[in-house]
Amino acid sequence: EALVSSVYQQVADQTRTAQRRCAVLPDCPNCVGPTRFKQSRPLMVRTVLTGRGVEVLSPYSVCDRCHVGVHALRRELQLDTDGTTPALRSLAVAAGTIEPFESASADLLQRFAGVSLSGSKVHSLCQTAGERLAMRMDEEALGEVTPLQPGERLYVQIDGGMLHIGGEWREAKLAVIFPGSAIADVSKERRALTQRHVVHSLSGREELGRRILNVVERYVPKDADGRPLLHGRVHVLGDGAEWISNLAREDLPGATYLLDWFHAADHIAAASRVLY
């Protein structure tokens, strides 16, 4: 009880410090004009420390031009609309990438961290984080790349699978991209990748092809017109699906398309049964 009381006191102290910094009213998020103090209003703050919501008073101001209200404390603490702090959002996203959203909420967060967040909230936070990361990947802001060495190859493994999302079945298309130098021997019978880029799309082949090319272009040299030189450098591995071979041909012109061994063996076995 003493520890819990101490934690709540820390949250209260931090909140009061943030409130003092809120003496200068924030600008309107819509027109960036000044806002006018209206009243102090209750604000829910959900932190990693307490595990559940703590209600505090926050200065509340309004923009007379846009009629937009602003909680100064929410902006100061970088809270989302539910009052969740950045640290708790980060923890929830980490849990949601390890376990399904409901078990991430009930087991990882509630049972092990003492944090009370619903499965739907964990889902929402993971969705937002995924969209933000996808934008950064499109902007080539994630991961360092070392250009291919002479004679080195870049491998692009592509596949798809059906996922039940939002009450409907959708095909998730995925690509794993890595240079030959990233393949390391773990034992006599197993190898692993020391680095890789993963891109995906739920919107279709065209978006996946664009994201793959954004990564591939960073590894390979370009010709005088700025086009990436893929021939002899880039190998695309697929399972024989038509959309993968079309992607390799249209979005990665010059790359070598390979049918993976296990699917090739399966197709040959099926053909042999028909012929013999």
Side-chain angles (χ1 to χ4, degrees):
E1 291 179 358
L3 178 60
V4 171
S5 176
S6 173
V7 169
Y8 271 85
Q9 187 61 46
Q10 290 181 45
V11 174
D13 292 342
Q14 293 174 10
T15 302
R16 280 194 289 271
T17 301
Q19 285 174 328
R20 286 194 292 270
R21 291 199 296 268
C22 293
V24 178
L25 295 177
D27 293 332
C28 172
N30 190 27
C31 68
V32 199
T35 60
R36 170 179 54 83
F37 175 79
K38 184 175 182 180
Q39 61 187 164
S40 292
R41 287 191 177 183
L43 179 68
M44 187 63 66
V45 180
R46 305 178 189 279
T47 75
V48 174
L49 291 174
T50 60
R52 54 188 175 84
V54 177
E55 190 173 274
V56 298
L57 286 178
S58 166
Y60 183 80
S61 57
V62 295
C63 174
D64 291 328
R65 179 188 302 176
C66 303
H67 306 290
V68 173
V70 184
H71 271 288
L73 189 58
R74 175 179 289 162
R75 180 175 294 187
E76 180 67 31
L77 295 178
Q78 301 178 46
L79 308 177
D80 65 8
T81 54
D82 293 326
T84 311
T85 62
L88 182 51
R89 295 198 297 269
S90 178
L91 180 65
V93 169
T97 59
I98 297 172
E99 288 285 332
F101 303 127
E102 292 299 330
S103 56
S105 169
D107 292 337
L108 296 184
L109 293 179
Q110 180 66 54
R111 182 180 176 187
F112 295 111
V115 172
S116 178
L117 277 184
S118 67
S120 60
K121 179 62 177 179
V122 176
H123 183 187
S124 174
L125 291 172
C126 288
Q127 183 74 20
T128 301
E131 292 170 354
R132 187 167 60 249
L133 286 172
M135 291 178 60
R136 294 190 65 193
M137 291 181 72
D138 285 343
E139 297 166 357
E140 301 182 4
L142 293 179
E144 296 296 327
V145 165
T146 301
L148 296 179
Q149 297 298 314
E152 186 180 11
R153 294 169 178 170
L154 185 70
Y155 298 95
V156 182
Q157 297 184 343
I158 305 175
D159 205 349
M162 301 304 295
L163 298 178
H164 196 251
I165 302 174
E168 62 178 348
W169 287 97
R170 300 175 63 184
E171 184 176 25
K173 294 177 169 60
L174 186 78
V176 180
I177 305 165
F178 57 92
S181 58
I183 305 173
D185 290 324
V186 176
S187 65
K188 290 183 178 181
E189 299 179 352
R190 191 168 75 88
R191 292 186 292 178
L193 297 177
T194 58
Q195 68 176 84
R196 62 180 180 266
H197 288 263
V198 179
V199 295
H200 79 284
S201 173
L202 289 171
S203 301
R205 195 213 79 192
E206 292 76 12
E207 182 179 64
L208 182 69
R210 175 173 55 81
R211 290 180 174 174
I212 292 174
L213 186 59
N214 282 344
V215 175
V216 169
E217 285 183 327
R218 300 165 65 190
Y219 280 98
V220 300
K222 295 180 173 61
D223 63 17
D225 296 323
R227 290 172 298 200
L229 298 172
L230 309 184
H231 181 71
R233 296 180 175 88
V234 178
H235 283 193
V236 179
L237 190 67
D239 61 5
E242 187 176 0
W243 71 268
I244 298 179
S245 58
N246 288 341
L247 186 153
R249 183 179 64 256
E250 298 173 13
D251 298 305
L252 301 171
T256 302
Y257 177 70
L258 302 174
L259 179 66
D260 76 74
W261 168 257
F262 294 102
H263 283 88
D266 186 49
H267 296 326
I268 290 172
S272 69
R273 286 193 291 270
V274 172
L275 293 173
Y276 303 104

